[in-house]
Amino acid sequence: MILKGKKVVIMGVRNKWSIAWGAAQSAYEQGAEVICTCSADSEEKVKDLLKEMPGTSVYVCNNVSLDEDIDNCLNEIKKEHGKIDGILHAIAHANTEDLRNDFILTSRDGYAHAQDVSAYSLVAIVRMAREKEMLNEGASIIAYTYFGSEKVVEGYNVMGVAKAALEASIRYLSKDLGKDGYRINGISAGPIKTLSAKGIKDFGSILDIVEERAPLHRNVTIKQVGDSTAFLFSDMSSAITGEIIHVDNGFSVVGV
Ligand SMILES: NC(=O)c1ccc[n+]([C@@H]2O[C@H](COP(=O)([O-])OP(=O)(O)OC[C@H]3O[C@@H](n4cnc5c(N)ncnc54)[C@H](O)[C@@H]3O)[C@@H](O)[C@H]2O)c1
């Protein structure tokens, strides 16, 4: 029970395949009070899922491209729950055509959209949570990223560039948040079949390649990523900040 007495906000639960759902389950198992956020179109589905975790609540944060949506959502959470001990950012989006065409064809709008939703939103959420003084001492922020930020992954395109910005933002935010004793880290998860992943061309072959080449010869589960998330939320990781931890069965360390 490494999260007993902690309140954590899990942003980006869409359905039972969402990696954020694995994080919600792990945090709950470890004794945390879990507060989820989702887009308006997933609210009913998420409410249904949460029936298996009594005491868990859900709030709509419909569009993280709008400061107003983030602001309203955080205000509601603060009003109902007071200060929190952690936030998970599990949110990303790119236009389908930018994941289907060659990267060189990415439009200015498509590039800006992927950056805004998938990277800048982390900065906005963390800043607003700090301004609202809703973070408890020792609070821990986590964001999900992917190996396509480091190396070229066929079809990941503009999302790889957005994840590179997200990872750099985590490092810069660690410096600012450290002044208040808060931590922030990224988890670079191995590929997992989720609704978002379906947008990536030939995603099935990425899973096959991981199984073949990763040192542990298997793909990761949302439970495994969730458990690592619980560790980063917990005081067991109190000296880790500004870090990107790979939870990928070792795939990222393999060269030839
Ligand atoms: N699936 C993978 O292989 C994989 C691997 C590594 C990292 N990730 C990352 O994990 C995170 C969660 O993705 P997932 O794969 O579980 O897919 P998912 O589709 O279940 O979750 C994506 C979430 O982003 C939310 N979202 C998208 N645009 C939004 C917006 N404008 N405003 C508010 N919310 C918005 C969706 O509502 C959804 O809840 C993402 O950051 C993704 O890049 C995924």
Side-chain angles (χ1 to χ4, degrees):
M1 290 287 223
I2 58 175
L3 296 179
K4 211 167 169 38
K6 291 203 187 277
K7 272 182 236 170
V8 296
V9 175
I10 310 279
M11 303 188 76
V13 183
R14 192 204 295 255
N15 53 36
K16 66 177 178 182
W17 294 286
S18 293
I19 312 184
W21 176 236
Q25 288 176 304
S26 294
Y28 185 79
E29 272 171 32
Q30 292 300 330
E33 180 182 338
V34 176
I35 303 156
C36 295
T37 80
C38 66
S39 297
D41 58 1
S42 325
E43 191 181 3
E44 289 315 309
K45 202 171 278 167
V46 176
K47 275 186 178 159
D48 258 7
L49 280 178
L50 293 185
K51 284 182 188 152
E52 64 180 71
M53 298 188 334
T56 305
S57 41
V58 62
Y59 296 85
V60 170
C61 183
N62 192 46
N63 184 1
V64 291
S65 286
L66 303 174
D67 284 346
E68 193 187 319
D69 281 15
I70 300 173
D71 193 54
N72 289 339
C73 174
L74 293 180
N75 282 343
E76 275 187 67
I77 291 173
K78 190 182 174 192
K79 193 168 139 218
E80 290 300 319
H81 303 271
K83 289 198 175 202
I84 56 170
D85 301 284
I87 302 175
L88 168 67
H89 175 284
I91 292 171
H93 193 261
N95 296 330
T96 309
E97 65 267 25
D98 292 328
L99 301 172
R100 299 282 148 160
N101 296 328
D102 284 353
F103 173 69
I104 201 168
L105 297 174
T106 308
S107 66
R108 194 178 292 275
D109 283 351
Y111 191 101
H113 171 74
Q115 288 283 338
D116 188 23
V117 176
S118 318
Y120 181 73
S121 62
L122 176 71
V123 182
I125 289 165
V126 172
R127 183 180 61 248
M128 287 191 214
R130 190 176 68 160
E131 280 167 4
K132 292 176 192 302
E133 298 184 357
M134 61 189 287
L135 297 172
N136 263 328
E137 208 182 310
S140 170
I141 320 290
I142 300 151
Y144 286 164
T145 182
Y146 176 60
F147 179 66
S149 63
E150 301 167 55
K151 301 283 179 200
V152 176
V153 173
E154 184 86 32
Y156 203 59
N157 297 1
V158 71
M159 190 53 81
V161 178
K163 291 300 191 190
L166 180 78
E167 292 175 17
S169 302
I170 287 169
R171 289 186 282 274
Y172 277 89
L173 285 168
S174 73
K175 180 107 177 18
D176 293 344
L177 294 174
K179 292 173 197 156
D180 296 318
Y182 307 140
R183 300 185 293 117
I184 182 162
N185 292 287
I187 286 184
S188 185
I192 299 178
K193 216 185 240 174
T194 63
L195 204 56
S196 289
K198 277 190 179 165
I200 296 155
K201 204 167 49 179
D202 287 335
F203 186 75
S205 67
I206 296 179
L207 294 174
D208 292 343
I209 291 169
V210 169
E211 215 171 285
E212 188 194 317
R213 294 191 203 156
L216 290 172
H217 294 290
R218 60 188 185 215
N219 277 289
V220 293
T221 63
I222 63 168
K223 163 83 175 140
Q224 289 171 320
V225 179
D227 286 349
S228 299
T229 307
F231 163 72
L232 283 179
F233 272 144
S234 81
D235 297 336
M236 311 266 292
S237 59
S238 59
I240 305 176
T241 195
E243 193 63 81
I244 309 297
I245 296 181
H246 291 85
V247 180
D248 65 350
N249 289 320
F251 181 79
S252 55
V253 304
V254 176
V256 179

